[in-house]
Amino acid sequence: MPFDFVPTLSQRRFLAGRRTLQLDNVEGTVIAVESGCLWITMENDSRDIVLTRGMRFEVDRSGRTIIAAEEDSRFGLLEPADGPEGVVARTARKLAAIFRQWAKRKTFVPYY
C-alpha cells in the first residue's frame, strides 16, 4: 500500500534491568523490542505501555518519554522514513493531535 509506515532503524540499544532511558521530543519514533521487557511512560499521558519481545510502539506525542527496563532488554529506536511514507505518517499524527484537542473543547449553549 502507498500509505504504509516504513520506519528506518536509527539505533539499537541495550538497557539493563531496572535502568531507565529518558528521551525528549521523539514523536514519531518507533520503539521495537528485540528481547526483554520495557515499560514506557510519556509526559501528559495517563497510559502505561508495556512491551515484550516482538512488540512495537510509536511515540505519539512530543515531550518527555521514559523507557524503563523491567529486565535486561535489547530494543531498536526507529525513525519514520523521510520519503512520502514519512510525510503521510507525520501528517496523520498532526491531524490526530488537532482532533484530540478539538474534541476536548467545551461548547456552551445558552439556555433561554
Side-chain angles (χ1 to χ4, degrees):
M1 290 192 122
F3 299 114
D4 284 346
F5 174 67
V6 183
T8 57
L9 180 64
S10 61
Q11 55 183 302
R12 280 203 166 95
R13 293 283 185 113
F14 173 80
L15 202 56
R18 302 294 177 200
R19 299 286 184 192
T20 60
L21 174 66
Q22 177 180 312
L23 304 171
D24 290 317
N25 299 318
V26 292
E27 182 178 7
T29 299
V30 175
I31 302 164
V33 180
E34 296 173 7
S35 66
C37 180
L38 298 176
W39 174 58
I40 300 167
T41 187
M42 296 176 289
E43 185 176 354
N44 297 324
D45 191 346
S46 61
R47 296 176 293 173
D48 287 326
I49 295 99
V50 177
L51 302 176
T52 58
R53 183 175 161 227
M55 297 176 77
R56 297 171 165 231
F57 175 74
E58 180 181 348
V59 178
D60 58 0
R61 59 188 64 224
S62 60
R64 182 166 291 162
T65 299
I66 297 179
I67 302 172
E70 296 298 314
E71 58 190 46
D72 290 354
S73 302
R74 290 189 187 286
F75 60 98
L77 297 175
L78 302 100
E79 295 178 355
D82 290 332
E85 298 89 3
V87 172
V88 169
R90 284 189 297 278
T91 303
R93 282 192 303 275
K94 295 288 184 190
L95 285 173
I98 290 169
F99 285 128
R100 273 194 308 270
Q101 289 299 322
W102 183 74
K104 288 180 184 178
R105 70 185 180 115
K106 298 185 190 284
T107 305
F108 295 100
V109 178
Y111 178 76
Y112 296 103

